[in-house]
Amino acid sequence: MIDRKEIIDITKDYDTENINVGSVASHSALDIFDGAVEEGFRTLAICQYGREKTYSHYFRAQRESNGKLCRGVVDDSICFDHFREITASQNQQKLISENTLFIPNRSFTSYCGIEDIENDFRVPLVGSRNMLRSEERGIDRDYYWLLEKANLPYPERIENPEDIDTLVMVKLPHATKKLERGFFTAGTYREYMEKAESLLKQGTITRDDLDNARIEEYIIGPVFNFDMFYSPIEENMSKLEILGVDWRFETSLDGHVRLPAPQQMNLSEKQLTPEYTVCGHNTATLRESLLEEVFNLSEKYVKASQKHYKPGIIGPFCLQTCVDKDLNFYIYDVAPRVGGGTNVHMSVGHPYGNTLWRKPMSTGRRLAFEIRRAIEMDKLDQIVT
Ligand SMILES: Nc1ncnc2c1ncn2[C@@H]1O[C@H](COP(=O)(O)OP(=O)(O)O)[C@@H](O)[C@H]1O
Ligand SMILES: [Mg+2]
């Protein structure tokens, strides 16, 4: 892990009048850029050929000669054959020389390699560098480990498929769709075996991944992803905020639930098991009496992160939860960075963020606002790693 002091020293040399906000151009980057320009920063998109035009063309920024923004959100873009080229030392140097504060999103960690990010990528990250790894399910000290340490509720793990006696979710990667899921559900060991064999036969999953899959209790209830924010530099008010809530559109699951039951029963083997590929998001609010519990859960998560992953969570994080029939929350995933669904409140803000800040407050804007405040308070060192 790069010594935090080294990053702070790099940040100290930055010209804070000319900060660039950079991010890998995918996932939640539009929200990040939108927030950054709103708070008066210039933005830099790290693009990959073939998927760059959203940023380099369609949402490109146009400014007047005095710098006032009249259109778009992306000031500059750099395009590579592959995202991970940004970690090459001359490219890092370019970012640093342009006073770039880098916002880690899931595409950054997925495409640029966690080892390189931890050990070689010397561009200051706004967020917790050492926590990014915790979302790799199955590794040492992953997010389940942290949830356990924090005494937070998560779906019970079933070690042995033979012990399945309630509906479970089997979590493993998709065999061919890179970075996607080969998840399936089962109510009994027999169903587990049947589905596993069928998916193996179709090449959707591999035997190796199946052997290492996490089997956990399936929580029957709605999904709420809580887009939270923790500000280490806040002095007088709560350091913890809820900005928004989102939930996902998943294919092919959402198509399945729109079919009548007899039609579902008659699907061919190839279509029978839904997949869980995220392809969009929607926004939600929570029954008000449940909000307090979300704060409790989040406070505990923050505290545990500070104890076990010093300095702990910085900025945005996302608790992905299901709620059961007795209104208990179960956290099935944690993103220790900007969530994947924050485009739901891009630019317009979210009821919770707006209510707190009295103006449109998306996750992207909150991040940029944190940078702005840190600069004004001379506390940039407290939000970078
Ligand atoms: N224990 C669970 N019970 C019910 N649904 C779950 C459970 N775990 C995950 N899910 C569903 O599966 C989806 C993906 O799960 P997640 O753990 O976030 O995987 P990934 O991080 O690979 O996206 C979620 O959006 C949710 O709908
Ligand atoms: Mg997830």
Side-chain angles (χ1 to χ4, degrees), residues 162-179:
E162 285 172 29
D163 296 335
I164 296 172
D165 61 357
T166 180
L167 187 61
V168 299
M169 182 108 180
V170 185
K171 296 189 165 181
L172 68 168
H174 198 285
T176 53
K177 296 182 189 166
K178 204 171 167 288
L179 305 176

Side-chain angles (χ1 to χ4, degrees), residues 214-283:
R214 181 182 175 97
I215 306 175
E216 65 184 33
E217 181 192 2
Y218 187 98
I219 308 303
I220 301 180
V223 168
F224 292 96
N225 296 336
F226 296 108
D227 296 311
M228 309 299 295
F229 194 92
Y230 181 79
S231 169
I233 61 172
E234 174 59 51
E235 283 169 353
N236 303 313
M237 305 294 280
S238 171
K239 291 176 190 281
L240 177 72
E241 303 161 25
I242 182 167
L243 294 176
V245 187
D246 63 75
W247 56 281
R248 303 160 159 192
F249 295 110
E250 288 164 333
T251 178
S252 53
L253 180 67
D254 288 295
H256 279 80
V257 299
R258 283 190 284 116
L259 291 173
Q263 189 64 71
Q264 293 180 358
M265 307 284 286
N266 279 323
L267 289 173
S268 70
E269 185 180 9
K270 234 174 73 200
Q271 293 179 309
L272 203 56
T273 305
E275 294 194 18
Y276 296 80
T277 304
V278 180
C279 58
H281 300 89
N282 208 339
T283 181

Side-chain angles (χ1 to χ4, degrees), residues 180-377:
E180 298 297 349
R181 290 145 210 87
F183 290 10
F184 65 95
T185 54
T188 60
Y189 177 52
R190 190 176 157 173
E191 189 184 356
Y192 167 91
M193 290 298 284
E194 282 168 6
K195 277 199 179 150
E197 286 310 324
S198 167
L199 293 171
L200 284 165
K201 194 177 83 189
Q202 294 174 61
T204 307
I205 59 173
T206 67
R207 178 73 65 185
D208 222 28
D209 287 333
L210 185 67
D211 291 341
N212 291 310
R214 181 182 175 97
I215 306 175
E216 65 184 33
E217 181 192 2
Y218 187 98
I219 308 303
I220 301 180
V223 168
F224 292 96
N225 296 336
F226 296 108
D227 296 311
M228 309 299 295
F229 194 92
Y230 181 79
S231 169
I233 61 172
E234 174 59 51
E235 283 169 353
N236 303 313
M237 305 294 280
S238 171
K239 291 176 190 281
L240 177 72
E241 303 161 25
I242 182 167
L243 294 176
V245 187
D246 63 75
W247 56 281
R248 303 160 159 192
F249 295 110
E250 288 164 333
T251 178
S252 53
L253 180 67
D254 288 295
H256 279 80
V257 299
R258 283 190 284 116
L259 291 173
Q263 189 64 71
Q264 293 180 358
M265 307 284 286
N266 279 323
L267 289 173
S268 70
E269 185 180 9
K270 234 174 73 200
Q271 293 179 309
L272 203 56
T273 305
E275 294 194 18
Y276 296 80
T277 304
V278 180
C279 58
H281 300 89
N282 208 339
T283 181
T285 56
L286 190 71
R287 177 174 162 163
E288 221 170 282
S289 57
L290 289 174
L291 275 176
E292 194 104 352
E293 182 58 6
V294 176
F295 285 117
N296 286 338
L297 299 173
S298 305
E299 295 279 10
K300 280 191 190 175
Y301 178 78
V302 169
K303 216 162 160 194
S305 77
Q306 291 169 342
K307 181 162 173 206
H308 300 285
Y309 280 91
K310 274 191 184 54
I313 202 80
I314 297 169
F317 64 101
C318 181
L319 297 184
Q320 300 171 34
T321 72
C322 290
V323 184
D324 77 2
K325 64 181 174 48
D326 301 319
L327 301 180
N328 297 309
F329 286 102
Y330 291 84
I331 304 171
Y332 61 81
D333 197 4
V334 184
R337 43 140 182 96
V338 55
T342 68
N343 276 9
V344 294
H345 53 242
M346 172 166 68
S347 189
V348 291
H350 193 277
Y352 297 121
N354 299 4
T355 296
L356 185 63
W357 288 101
R358 317 309 310 152
K359 59 183 174 188
M361 192 55 77
S362 61
T363 297
R365 184 159 186 197
R366 184 63 189 86
L367 250 166
F369 184 47
E370 187 77 350
I371 298 172
R372 180 61 68 211
R373 292 181 98 198
I375 292 171
E376 280 164 12
M377 298 160 92

